[in-house]
Amino acid sequence: MRPFAYSRPTDANSAVQALSAAASANSPVADAAIQALAGGTTLLDLMKLDVMRPSALVDINPLSDVWSAVNLDGGNLKLGALARMSDVAAHADIQKNYPVVADALKLAASPQIRNMASLGGNVLQRTRCTYFRDVSYENCNKRNPGSGCAAMDGFNRTHAVLGTSGQCIATYPGDFAQALIALNATVEIIGKSSARTVSFAELHRAPGNSPQIETTLMPGELISSFSIQGRWPRSTYFKVRDRQSYEFALSSAAIALEVQDGTIRDARIALGGVATVPWRARKAEGLLKGEKFDDALASQVAEAAFEDAVGSKHNAFKIALGKRVVARALHQAAAMEI
Amino acid sequence: MTDPEDRALTWSFNRRAFIGGAAGTVALPLVAKAAGDANTAAVAADLSLPVDVTLQINGATRPLNIDIRTTLLDALREHAGLTGSKKGCDHGQCGACTVMVDGRRVLSCLTLALTVQDQPITTIEGLSQGDQLHPMQQAFIDQDAFQCGYCTPGQIISAIACVKEGHATTDGDIREFMSGNICRCAAYPNIVAAVKQAAPAVSDEQKG
Ligand SMILES: Cc1cc2nc3c(=O)[nH]c(=O)nc-3n(C[C@H](O)[C@H](O)[C@H](O)COP(=O)(O)OP(=O)(O)OC[C@H]3O[C@@H](n4cnc5c(N)ncnc54)[C@H](O)[C@@H]3O)c2cc1C
Ligand code: SF4
Ligand code: FES
Ligand code: FES
């Protein structure tokens, strides 16, 4: 790990000031010389690997007093960016009204990591692509723009089948983001001079020709909270992995349904473990609206969700697996007793 | 082998180059010393100098002078002389380094020591009362819940937290909520038995 300067501001304004000090408007936030430190479970890991090399850390944990609030007033949900994964997963009202949120958090990482990790840091976690994490590989377009991609001809069993580009096929590894994108969440962001709200679907950027730019956050900006409109009691998160726990998804699905008298009024599907960014399967969702749920429909929806999938040498199995995950998760959600 | 004098030269060169570079890019009024001191403005400091960090470990106040990059795990093991907490992976993947900070189980390998200065830290060394083992420690012995023992300090701390969090009600629940602690010797069935044995006593301790 390289040495860094450290500060621990106690209010949001000082934090964004500190974070913007050396911000150049065009540099992607993931490479910014000054990084916010929340739980540190992504940042310190990658600093030890020399993948992230910030020269300064701004410890935002003192903002937890204000930024870890969970609010369910008025039938909506607001989650502070510094709320810890474990606390939100264990929140009885969230388990009841937003099971997809509670489940996605509970099925991630380990109890220790969930005690440390914040929601804001969680959505910004970096890919687990082994070539990205190992700096002895020169060619990684994400870490070293223009250098090529070691995973394309390498071992790519865990890589993405959706949203890939000729530059990068790295999987977005997180679980919680699938719940957020499925429920049309918004993200509240504060910067040096202003605050803004964006749709969660606009936070992450597919790799395209610049895989090193992963989000639309600018250096100096902080996520302060996430908001979800309405309640989603009929929702679930289903995750398949190489081992039963403490492992990233090979394939997962976040599902939310609104059913009235047996007819599906609204449906949301997001896919994890298979795409380069949090992935909303909009076309597949569309097939459910106005219909009655049955096996045939579930299979049709699952096919549609992976219609555009492209496998690499070792990960084509994810397409077959992913379809089954979607069908199974739909069954799970449809069968829920509300 | 590089001649020591050469090495010294290279080192001082790199160090100077780095500090120069850092001063150029980081226009931040930050100084290592400002650690506990919110919003403190100060002149650019030499980042390679150690900082003063005071930790509250097992009820004792431990002032340490450490590199700013020191993790809580290294602070415990290399500076406070508490080698009970183990380094398995140093990357959050095994749980051997699990300690309690402010009553919550966390990974000390992914925690910077200087960020937990005001919070009480409990390690495996802080569990027994004199010669009287903690009920969870005793249960691990009674149930033969380890072979090499390397994962055991982390398992025991995690097991106590698992019970206190209310996740020791069924075998399945224990397995899920102990999954953050990998055991290379695969003593898992015995670990589940140990957690079950100690659970009533740990719950009582929490209530009482
Ligand atoms: C072994 C292991 C297994 C894991 N398994 C899973 C899993 O199965 N599923 C899963 O979803 N995750 C998993 N994770 C990832 C883990 O959940 C993330 O590392 C964690 O959520 C990151 O949160 P943090 O608060 O620790 O972030 P940090 O490491 O503190 O920060 C991460 C990044 O986000 C930035 N940041 C943090 N907060 C903010 C904010 N409010 N505004 C702007 N920028 C911010 C930081 O500057 C940094 O660049 C695993 C991690 C490990 C080590
Ligand atoms: S898949 Fe992306 S992150 Fe992995 S080596 Fe290729 S460019 Fe790098
Ligand atoms: S040493 Fe900390 S998790 Fe392995
Ligand atoms: S007893 Fe050997 S690793 Fe667990």
Side-chain angles (χ1 to χ4, degrees):
Chain A
M1 204 191 297
R2 300 175 187 224
F4 48 82
Y6 173 85
S7 69
R8 197 175 164 87
T10 50
D11 63 86
N13 263 341
S14 324
V16 287
Q17 293 296 335
L19 280 161
S20 333
S24 95
N26 300 317
S27 84
V29 70
D31 270 350
I34 309 179
Q35 291 282 327
L37 173 69
T41 61
T42 286
L43 189 53
L44 290 174
D45 177 29
L46 292 176
M47 285 169 68
K48 287 181 185 188
L49 293 170
D50 209 25
V51 171
M52 290 182 79
R53 303 167 176 181
S55 51
L57 297 186
V58 177
D59 186 346
I60 57 174
N61 287 296
L63 311 184
S64 295
D65 293 346
V66 186
W67 282 11
S68 60
V70 170
N71 190 324
L72 284 109
D73 295 347
N76 303 316
L77 176 63
K78 186 166 177 171
L79 298 166
L82 283 170
R84 305 294 149 163
M85 292 171 74
S86 55
D87 297 329
V88 178
H91 197 293
D93 293 334
I94 294 178
Q95 289 173 350
K96 178 160 172 270
N97 297 298
Y98 305 91
V100 65
V101 171
D103 293 353
L105 290 168
K106 194 188 103 179
L107 296 176
S110 72
Q112 292 94 314
I113 292 173
R114 296 194 294 270
N115 273 346
M116 304 167 73
S118 66
L119 301 185
N122 183 279
V123 302
L124 298 174
Q125 64 180 289
R126 314 288 305 276
T127 183
R128 304 297 291 193
C129 171
T130 37
Y131 304 102
F132 170 76
R133 289 172 57 82
D134 183 345
V135 294
S136 69
Y137 287 92
E138 274 287 306
N139 41 344
C140 168
N141 287 325
K142 194 184 270 303
R143 183 164 38 74
N144 204 355
S147 63
C149 169
M152 298 223 181
D153 324 305
F155 188 61
N156 45 39
R157 179 175 174 273
T158 59
H159 287 69
V161 295
L162 288 164
T164 56
S165 76
Q167 301 279 311
C168 177
I169 56 170
T171 303
Y172 173 79
D175 294 298
F176 173 55
Q178 321 309 334
L180 291 175
I181 200 168
L183 301 185
N184 273 349
T186 54
V187 191
E188 288 79 45
I189 296 168
I190 67 162
K192 198 172 164 185
S193 47
S194 63
R196 62 191 178 107
T197 300
V198 300
S199 155
F200 185 76
E202 285 161 36
L203 184 66
H204 291 84
R205 287 180 38 149
N209 285 325
S210 46
Q212 76 279 13
I213 305 177
E214 296 177 349
T215 72
T216 52
L217 276 185
M218 296 312 286
E221 286 189 324
L222 279 175
I223 296 176
S224 57
S225 58
F226 304 93
S227 297
I228 293 168
Q229 299 293 306
R231 300 262 195 258
W232 292 90
R234 186 181 293 283
S235 65
T236 190
Y237 191 74
F238 180 63
K239 177 175 177 182
V240 172
R241 32 194 164 167
D242 275 331
R243 58 182 181 199
Q244 201 176 340
S245 186
Y246 199 8
E247 187 54 274
F248 292 91
L250 280 175
S251 171
S252 69
I255 307 279
L257 300 177
E258 208 185 294
V259 181
Q260 238 173 37
D261 306 324
T263 302
I264 300 167
R265 295 288 167 213
D266 198 356
R268 309 288 178 78
I269 303 175
L271 309 178
V274 292
T276 52
V277 284
W279 191 265
R280 182 85 176 263
R282 287 184 190 271
K283 191 173 162 201
E285 293 171 3
L287 300 175
L288 287 160
K289 285 181 202 163
E291 302 291 328
K292 304 224 183 272
F293 185 75
D294 62 20
D295 276 1
L297 183 59
S299 309
Q300 203 188 334
V301 170
E303 287 296 324
F306 283 87
E307 197 176 76
D308 299 328
V310 184
S312 300
K313 190 167 178 196
H314 307 105
N315 68 355
F317 77 97
K318 282 192 176 185
I319 301 174
L321 176 65
K323 291 177 190 171
R324 289 174 192 161
V325 164
V326 169
R328 166 103 171 250
L330 281 170
H331 277 284
Q332 214 165 281
M336 284 174 82
E337 308 242 343
I338 307 295
Chain B
M1 277 269 296
T2 327
D3 155 322
E5 226 164 74
D6 274 7
R7 261 208 316 244
L9 272 174
T10 324
W11 162 236
S12 67
F13 171 76
N14 283 341
R15 188 160 161 269
R16 226 178 294 132
F18 174 76
I19 295 162
T25 48
V26 188
L28 258 186
L30 293 183
V31 58
K33 265 246 177 93
D37 207 355
N39 301 333
T40 313
V43 288
D46 184 344
L47 301 181
S48 61
L49 292 179
V51 291
D52 289 326
V53 168
T54 305
L55 297 180
Q56 309 294 334
I57 311 170
N58 301 327
T61 300
R62 300 291 303 263
L64 305 171
N65 187 243
I66 54 180
D67 187 291
I68 194 159
R69 292 165 287 188
T70 312
T71 60
L72 176 57
L73 178 60
D74 287 339
L76 292 169
R77 291 181 53 86
E78 313 290 335
H79 299 276
L82 297 167
T83 54
S85 308
K86 296 292 185 274
K87 185 182 283 189
C89 65
D90 214 20
H91 287 280
Q93 298 174 3
C94 75
C97 64
T98 304
V99 301
M100 302 266 203
V101 173
D102 234 348
R104 285 159 76 99
R105 49 174 158 164
V106 299
L107 300 177
S108 59
C109 74
L110 293 182
T111 303
L112 287 173
L114 86 167
T115 62
V116 290
Q117 295 197 74
D118 314 319
Q119 294 156 276
I121 297 157
T122 305
T123 69
I124 190 74
E125 289 92 343
L127 295 182
S128 64
Q129 310 272 347
D131 285 343
Q132 177 77 34
L133 291 180
H134 185 279
M136 193 62 80
Q137 291 175 305
Q138 189 59 51
F140 267 66
I141 293 171
D142 295 346
Q143 300 293 338
D144 209 8
F146 50 87
Q147 289 177 42
C148 78
Y150 198 78
C151 70
T152 312
Q155 298 278 6
I156 290 175
I157 295 281
S158 209
I160 294 169
C162 178
V163 175
K164 291 189 174 172
E165 292 160 8
H167 293 306
T169 48
T170 63
D171 286 17
D173 217 23
I174 293 172
R175 285 202 188 90
E176 172 60 28
F177 284 89
M178 287 299 290
S179 70
N181 293 79
I182 308 283
C183 176
R184 191 63 203 266
C185 303
Y188 297 114
N190 310 54
I191 293 171
V192 173
V195 176
K196 280 186 356 196
Q197 177 186 317
V202 174
S203 301
D204 287 350
E205 170 193 319
Q206 186 179 21
K207 283 178 211 135

